[in-house]
Amino acid sequence: MSLVSVQGLSVTFPSEKGPVAAVRNVSFDLKPGEILGIVGESGSGKSVTCRALLGLLPRRATIGGRMIYDGRDLSGPAEIQAVRGREISMIFQNPASHLDPLMTIGDHVAEPLRFHFGLSAAEARAEALKLLESVRIRDAASRMDAWPHQLSGGMKQRVLIASALACKPRLLLADEPTTALDVTVQAGILQLLRDLNRESGLTMALVSHDLGVIAEICDRVIVMRGGEVIESGPVRDVVTNPQHEYTRLLIGAQPGRLPQMAEPQEAPAGLVDLKDVAVHFPTRSGGGIVRAVDGVNLSVRKGECFGIVGESGSGKSTVARTIVRLITPTGGRVMFEGKSVADLSGADLTAYRRAVQMVFQSPFDSLNPRMTAQQTIAEPIWRHGLASKSAAMERALELMDMVELPRSFATRRPRALSGGQCQRVGIARALALSPRLLIADEVTSALDVTVQAQILRLLTRLRKEHDLTVIYISHDLTVVRKFCDRVAVFQGGRLVETGATADLFASPSTEYTRDLIAAAPDMDQAMAERA
Amino acid sequence: MTDLASTASVHPAAPRFRHGTIEAALGAALLLAWLIAAVGAGVFAPYDPNALDLVAMLAPPDGVHWFGTDHLGRDVFSRVIYGARIDIWMGFAGVIAPLVVGVTVGLIAGYFGGLTDTILMRILDITVAFPFFILVIAIVGVLGPGLVNYIIALALVAWVAYARLVRAEVLVVKRLEYVQAARALGFSDFVIILRHVLPNVLGSITIYAWTDAVMVILAGASLGFLGLGAQPPTAEWGVMIADGQPYVLQAWWICLFPGIAMVTLSLGFILVSDGLSRRLRVSS
Amino acid sequence: MNSISFIGRRLLQIVPVLIGISLVSFFLIMMIPGDPVRMVLGPRATEEAVTAMRQEWGLDRPIWAQYLSYIGNTLTGDLGQSLKFRIPVLDLVLQYLPRTLFLVAYVLVIALPATILMAVIAARNEGRWPDQLIRVISILGMTIPVFWLGVLFARYFGVKLGWFPVSGYGDGFVEHLHHLFLPAVSTSLWLAPLLTRNLRAALIEQTEADYVAASRAKGLPEGYIFRRHILRNSVLPTLNLLGVMIAFLIGGSVVVEIVYAVPGLGALMVGSVLGRDYFVIQGLTLVYAIATVAITLAIDIFTAAIDPRTSE
């Protein structure tokens, strides 16, 4: 018998343009002891489905259908309240915002113990300590009285898990629990979830956009798109033999399945050289120094695609900003075609600005919300005096063609564009000045995988057509492996190692790189390991 | 089949969106009515606001004097209408002067940061250390009573709220990637501040400014009441209330009508502010 | 351990502000158009009298020397002499101050419970009629001029019904309560709506916070979540506003004190401005500023005690 049975679930939100269905006629079962994966891209309704089970949707949502938990019909607020915590508990994507900033770590875990099991303060505290240790928080005793903001993202997620486990639920809903975390941290959390399932038989539903993650720990998977279930079945069957066209598209867009786009070439001439570059900031409270980047030496060759990988805080973005001169290095020099970038001024600086352009991470934040796509793309052209304003607007349309953005989108503002379309506008704006070096900083990390695949294809084409040198910054090793000719690995502001992509992945020379490669979730590899 | 609709209250977002619009429209209508009254005071007011009629002193409201007359026999209705000119002017000038100062300071401090920011923020700290109304009274006290000095005092004192608001928003917007992109594209700081930063921080300033107008009008009328703002015999609502204070028992109308006028005008400003902020919140 | 260093750092930040305050109040006198001595002595004063007063006030010395002696005097508690009352300004301030403080405390005692009650009711009924009603009340409260309400209240409840005295401060605590009732209520009618709007917005924002969803997912009761999580997190922003408002209130008491003829600092201030008693204006401005700085400091320390994030 199944633990949870969802039958014909639908969720509708009101909007200015009338009701919008977020989830339509969704049915699935959860068997005791299994890990069910719910995979889908943004807007697929996977999170909404999950939240509906615990009644966590906004009041304005209209919910239809049946949800049955262990024979109980979760038909109203009272019925749902009865299973919350004690039977079904949940962990979330952004652990930082899901912890009360004014409550200590220990209290977060002790709180449900006192409520559900009537433990005294002292008993709850002792039990909370055990739970924190069980989710492998190092030095848990001394962390009991710490505040959430004093912990790293991975530690916060462990606290959130401990707090959910304190209710001793039979079912744990995990809504993108590792999406906001670094890959090495993600690997640890996934391992923890898998162990909880194996050792104590905890049933789980894992919502994720990442088939690699799903493939690593789930038994069965349901694929959602546009609020509907497209396909479901054991993970192996769905991955190896997808029935639905969209599932095939999704699987094909996995970074590991992308075609090899890198084309290493003989190009000895250096374009950008970093010589002992350091960027230090004073800490906010004063006194200390943050070494965001320290002692970095590297050389990017003309015409190549150079990848920079690293986790958060590795300094990879700071390096990018230093090259485009958004940040002035506190030590060392950035050389472009043999000239020190810091010394440029006047016409030389303007020429440098045109030669080196950047595309940013966040599709929406990287565009001025008040300007149309066409205005955004045209602005650099006329401001640099390369053409009149009207000629620049005309040229902007050509640039839109170049990035495969329909001309009919010319008058749209960012809010009326999708993430992928915004990124195309950002790329067109960067290309407007015909740069020779394009720096792409995590340009696909906020996008769905299918869109990521398109953007990567576009960048590859543009690179060839315009003879661009590209510096591609990413946390995703699999993408870098497919896309870049050479790679540099960063950790804690320092360059760990650098080399030709194929060599580096085949035989990493440092332990950190080895860990990083091992931790990167990959669908095919996960399937192979589980066989 | 059980319908789970009972878990969600029937309170859709769409009417809420209209709500904000209705409020703003109501507020705008009130403001417009007062604006028309003020501009056309010469047409709408049946009497000269300062014409004395010693025969009809303290006359109660009737068909001749709709709002009655005051202790000098002046027509209260005409004075309320003419008073709108003073109080509306005060509201606009008293908002725009500190707004211009504050937005400029906030943009510069927030965008450039560093030493500039530190110095400007210290000046701000010092200004906020003085209670708003006290500093206004003190400045008016040394410069001499009067409306122009009140506006000068506001420009010197009330800019801090705008500066803080704008600086906080600029600090957020400055980190956004489109501003970084503009810098990478080599645009000048002036262009970036004016074209890329300012338009995106105007929303919250506008909302605040409408509420601020209420404070400016209330404080200005208070000054008039205390004898430190508009000077008699100017028909200003605060001055009129002060005039009527000794007679409020036998001639309630002298005080009542200017007060109601002030409430309705303030209501107009607040409703517009509220409506705008609700619409902004729903659309974002 | 951390909080001590926080308070120390905060105190250090205050030093430049205090210097700035002293400069402003010093230069306030310099802003007087024309010659203050002539303004005080009148146009027909003899040249000797003007020179004598100039010397007495030290106006013949260079500005920096004047400022230094001003600082020196201020630090020793000498704020100058009132031209009107012929007694030291400090004595005058100490005489009037308690009444204003009493009034401010009175207002807070009335306004704060009302604010919390209204905000909580409104937030827990967001969008429903109690919320709408409280919204209308709070908007009206913000638009009603305090002095106008004061005039109407004083005449109606004071003179016509004779329930409350309409002037003075009375003797003894109970008398104070009686005398200041109308002034406190009319001020609260303006303050409570402002705070209510703010706290309501903060409560609603916190109700939608992620950690509330997480608490619900753990099966914690709604009432408990509201008290332990939502309310606590909403107090912080309102506390900051309260600090600003108390400072505002001290300034705003001016009008109420005039309307109800309460002999407090505000009444003294207006009297001095109208009577061109410059040293009292200067001294009072300084006292008000120092009081504001002290309140802001107290609120900051209080915030730091509640919020672990601020002391780092």
Side-chain angles (χ1 to χ4, degrees), chain B residues 89-154:
Chain B
W89 177 84
M90 195 159 72
F92 279 102
V95 164
I96 288 169
L99 186 143
V100 171
V101 178
V103 169
T104 313
V105 170
L107 281 175
I108 292 174
Y111 185 79
F112 291 105
L115 189 63
T116 322
D117 184 35
T118 311
I119 293 172
L120 288 173
M121 285 306 107
R122 281 297 96 78
I123 295 176
L124 186 142
D125 283 345
I126 292 164
T127 315
V128 263
F130 295 91
F132 166 78
F133 201 54
I134 294 298
L135 196 50
V136 168
I137 290 183
I139 293 173
V140 170
V142 293
L143 292 180
L147 274 185
V148 174
N149 285 345
Y150 172 52
I151 303 298
I152 293 175
L154 280 177

Side-chain angles (χ1 to χ4, degrees), chain C residues 122-229:
Chain C
R124 300 214 69 175
N125 293 287
E126 194 201 346
R128 292 194 280 269
W129 70 265
D131 183 31
Q132 303 289 8
L133 184 70
I134 288 169
R135 244 169 59 80
V136 170
I137 292 174
S138 66
I139 285 183
L140 274 179
M142 286 170 64
T143 57
I144 296 175
V146 173
F147 65 92
W148 178 62
L149 204 63
V151 168
L152 298 182
F153 275 10
R155 296 295 146 160
Y156 192 74
F157 295 109
V159 179
K160 196 160 187 187
L161 298 178
W163 291 354
F164 300 96
V166 288
S167 77
Y169 178 57
D171 294 314
F173 186 75
V174 179
E175 278 286 280
H176 295 341
L177 284 185
H178 194 200
H179 274 81
L180 294 183
F181 181 77
L182 285 181
V185 167
S186 16
T187 311
S188 300
L189 282 176
W190 161 84
L191 179 68
L194 261 174
L195 291 176
T196 302
R197 271 164 74 91
N198 204 268
L199 183 58
R200 173 190 173 273
L203 284 171
I204 288 173
E205 193 190 319
Q206 294 299 328
T207 308
E208 286 157 10
D210 285 342
Y211 62 80
V212 173
S215 299
R216 288 194 180 132
K218 283 179 261 178
L220 303 177
E222 283 297 317
Y224 169 82
I225 295 175
F226 190 81
R227 282 193 311 277
R228 177 62 182 83
H229 296 288

